[in-house]
Structure formats: structure tokens, C-alpha cells
Amino acid sequence: MILRHITIDAGNPYVLAQFWSTVTGWPIADGDVPGDDEVLVVAPSPVPSLLFIAVPESKSVKNRVHIDWVPTERTRDEEVDRLLTLGATIHEDHRTPEGPGWVTMLDPEHNEFCIERSLAERSA
């Protein structure tokens, strides 16, 4: 089997896809436009793409699955700061004074995701 997409329910698929496209640097699929019920953020192979699908109800409980991200061009804290400027919010801060830990954040539609330490931080 191959994991093709990670599918995320959305109130506004295009707006949420724009947020995640900016976060990841991955493009929105050609032909996907505002108002579409499905919008794809295309990841580089072999990484699964992010598919946003319109649903009528808003998010009401904690996600049962979420994505953990490891920054490649910034430290964990720099990435958290960048995501805050893009519209994410901090949900839970699990950083420790010694350096380890992660930050659980919310995207603009309140889907949880985590930012972990970068590989460089882990090897230091």
C-alpha cells in the first residue's frame, strides 16, 4: 500500500489549503479554486498530499489523528513563531527548560498539529 493523501475536513477547503500551502511550501493543485469542495495541496513524492474536503459541520472535538511536523529550515521555536504569524495558535506548549518537547498548535479551523524539534536540534 501507498499512503496517497491525508484528508482533512474543512469549512472552507480553499482557505485552509492556502494556509497549509504557505506553511509547507507545497502548491495547491492546478485547477483548484475558491469555492471547490475538494482542494489538494500537492506534496513532493513520496510524501502524502493534504486533501481538504468541505463538510457542513464545524469542528467540535479534539482530532483523533494529527500531524507531527519536524522543521527542516528553522528551529522548533523559529517555526512556531513563523506559524503564529501565518494564523496558527498555540494550543498546548510542551517545551521544557532543558530544550526537549513540542508545541501543539491549531490551524485556522482549529485542527491540531505538533511542531517538534528540528533534526539539528535533536543531534546537538
Side-chain angles (χ1 to χ4, degrees), residues 22-87:
T22 302
V23 166
T24 61
W26 305 340
I28 291 176
D30 289 341
D32 287 358
V33 296
D36 283 353
D37 287 338
E38 297 182 6
V39 180
L40 183 67
V41 176
V42 182
S45 183
V47 176
S49 295
L50 302 175
L51 178 62
F52 299 90
I53 299 200
V55 296
E57 65 278 352
S58 61
K59 183 177 177 295
S60 61
V61 297
K62 182 180 183 299
N63 292 9
R64 302 260 333 239
V65 174
H66 70 261
I67 301 170
D68 292 347
W69 297 95
V70 175
T72 56
E73 299 175 12
R74 287 170 278 283
T75 67
R76 174 201 54 210
D77 295 346
E78 291 168 340
E79 188 66 15
V80 167
D81 290 343
R82 182 180 81 92
L83 295 174
L84 289 170
T85 67
L86 296 176

